[in-house]
Amino acid sequence: MGFAARQLIWVEPDLNGPSGGSRYNALAQAALEAAGHHVIRLGLAGDWPQPQAQQVHELTTRLRALRGEHPEATVIVDGLIGGCVPELFTGDIAPLADVLLLHLPLGAEPGAPAGVHDVEGRAVRSARAVIATSRWAAADLHSRHGRSGVVVAEPGVERQEASDQDAVEQGAFEHHVLGLGRAGVPRFVVVGSLTPRKNHELLGQALGALLHHSWELVVAGPGAETAFGARMLAELHAALPGRVLAPGALSPEQIAALLRTADLLLLPSHAETYGMVVTEAAVHGIPSFVGAGTGAEEAQDGAGLALATTSPRSWTDAVERWLRRPAFREALRSSAQSRGARVPTWQTCAETISSLAASLRTG
C-alpha cells in the first residue's frame, strides 16, 4: 500500500450490542492489519459516556501501561470514551492519547447528559488530531467546538463476488431470521438501533398511510430489550399490522444478506454523521431515502432522496411514488448502482488513518 508499517493502540468501548461505530472500528482495524500494521485493541467496559470514577482510573492505568510497552504507537480513542475523558489529551507532561475518533458527537443523542457538550469540546480542542467519518461531520465539529483541520476517514465497503455458499447462507437467513416473506412483495429495510435518534416513529406514521399497497418493512437492529425499543416495536406493529419483520441485531454478514433481499433502504434518523448502511446498500444497487440535513446525504450522494425528518407526509409521498412509478424506481436503482461503484474501500480508510499516524510520529 506504499506506507510503512506502524503500531496503533485503539481504545474503544465494549458495548452490549453492535453499533455503527463498533463496525467502523472493527473494519478499519482489519484493513490496517491487512496492510501490515500492528493494531493493539484496548476494549473497556463502562458506563460510557458517563463513566464511574473507577472506570476512568482503569482506563488511564491500562493505557499508561500499554504506552509504556509500545512507546512508538499512536493512540486512537473512540469518541464514546475520549469525548468524556478529555484528560487523556491534556496531560501536564505527556498526553496519554493522540487521536480522537468521533463517530457521532455526544450531544447529538437525544437526552444527552447535561454538560457533555462542554466536556467533549475540551477533548476535541485538545487532541493532537481528530478524525471524523465524513466532510459533513468535520464541518459539524467545527460548528460545535471550533476545531479546524479535522481529518476525514470515510467508511469503506467490502466488495466481494457472491458465491454458491453465499446463496445457501442467503436462503438460510431468509428462512430462519426473516421468515419466508411474500414472493414479489416490495421489501423496505431500516437498519439501526431502536433509539429516539433513529426516528422509527416516522416510519409508522408515513407507511401507515400506504396500507392499501403491498409491501413489507424489515426493522433490523439492537434495542428491542430496552423499554423504549420494545415500545417502539409495539407501536410499529400496531400502526403497520402484518407488515413488520423484526429480526433484531444482525451481524455484518447478516446485514449484507438482508440488503441483498431489499428494494429500498429507509433511514429517517434525526442525526447521522455518515450512515454506513447507505453505501452498503448502494453497493447492492439499493437506493435509499435518508434524513435531509444529516451526514447520510453525503453517504447517499444522489443514490435516492433526502427528506425532512419531521415530515412523515414527505416520506409517504416519496414511498408512494416509488411504489406507483416503475420509471422512478429504475432511475433510483440506476443512481444507486452508480454510487455503489464510487464508494471507496476500507483500504482507502486505512491509508488515511496510517498517513495521519505517520504525520504525528514525525511531527
Side-chain angles (χ1 to χ4, degrees), residues 2-359:
F3 48 75
R6 62 189 77 260
Q7 293 182 337
L8 300 103
I9 298 171
W10 198 300
V11 183
E12 60 186 349
D14 280 339
L15 303 176
N16 293 328
S19 71
S22 61
R23 289 185 61 217
Y24 177 105
N25 291 352
L27 291 167
Q29 290 164 12
L32 285 160
E33 289 174 335
H37 302 309
H38 181 204
V39 180
I40 304 151
R41 178 184 176 274
L42 176 56
L44 292 157
D47 301 320
W48 318 106
Q50 293 180 280
Q52 304 297 317
Q54 69 270 21
Q55 294 167 345
V56 174
H57 177 72
E58 179 187 3
L59 160 66
T60 56
T61 300
R62 293 178 62 185
L63 182 53
R64 185 173 290 109
L66 272 179
R67 288 220 74 156
E69 295 169 9
H70 307 280
E72 297 302 312
T74 300
V75 178
I76 300 172
V77 185
D78 185 287
L80 268 180
I81 293 177
C84 62
V85 191
E87 305 83 64
L88 293 175
F89 307 99
T90 59
D92 292 336
I93 299 176
L96 284 176
D98 302 298
V99 181
L100 178 63
L101 167 59
L102 274 173
H103 298 292
L104 181 79
L106 298 178
E109 287 284 3
V116 71
H117 174 86
D118 293 338
V119 174
E120 180 182 69
R122 287 174 52 207
V124 169
R125 290 186 293 271
S126 300
R128 294 182 66 194
V130 177
I131 294 176
T133 56
S134 68
R135 297 185 303 278
W136 184 95
D140 181 60
L141 283 176
H142 183 267
S143 175
R144 287 176 185 268
H145 301 305
R147 176 79 190 221
S148 300
V150 173
V151 175
V152 176
E154 181 180 348
V157 292
E158 296 178 288
R159 302 184 189 279
Q160 296 178 341
E161 296 296 326
S163 65
D164 291 341
Q165 181 61 31
D166 290 333
V168 172
E169 293 174 357
Q170 180 79 26
F173 175 80
E174 277 281 274
H175 183 81
H176 295 295
V177 179
L178 295 179
L180 294 177
R182 293 170 290 170
V185 174
R187 171 169 284 175
F188 307 143
V189 168
V190 55
V191 178
S193 56
L194 288 160
T195 61
R197 178 173 62 88
K198 294 295 186 177
N199 198 22
H200 290 82
E201 180 182 13
L202 178 140
L203 296 180
Q205 298 166 346
L207 299 179
L210 298 173
L211 295 176
H212 55 292
H213 290 285
S214 179
W215 50 267
E216 63 186 14
L217 175 68
V218 180
V219 180
E225 73 285 356
T226 68
F228 177 87
R231 184 171 69 252
M232 190 70 263
L233 279 181
E235 290 177 4
L236 286 174
H237 282 293
L240 311 173
R243 305 298 185 98
V244 178
L245 298 168
L250 302 180
S251 68
E253 294 76 19
Q254 288 175 325
I255 290 173
L258 172 62
L259 291 173
R260 287 194 289 269
T261 77
D263 295 294
L264 181 64
L265 175 73
L266 304 176
L267 191 69
S269 306
H270 290 300
E272 290 284 351
T273 50
Y274 189 77
M276 290 190 295
V277 70
V278 174
T279 50
E280 291 166 349
V283 167
H284 294 288
I286 308 303
S288 56
F289 292 170
V290 306
T294 72
E297 282 193 82
E298 184 175 327
Q300 188 186 63
D301 193 17
L305 299 179
L307 305 165
T309 62
T310 56
S311 174
R313 182 67 198 184
S314 66
W315 291 73
T316 300
D317 292 344
V319 173
E320 184 157 36
R321 183 182 176 197
W322 187 92
L323 287 164
R324 288 184 177 275
R325 300 187 184 180
F328 179 59
R329 290 198 298 273
E330 185 53 37
L332 288 184
R333 185 168 184 83
S334 177
S335 69
Q337 291 171 336
S338 176
R339 170 56 174 151
R342 301 193 305 272
V343 178
T345 65
W346 284 103
Q347 177 182 354
T348 303
C349 179
E351 289 172 349
T352 300
I353 295 171
S354 175
S355 295
L356 172 61
S359 71

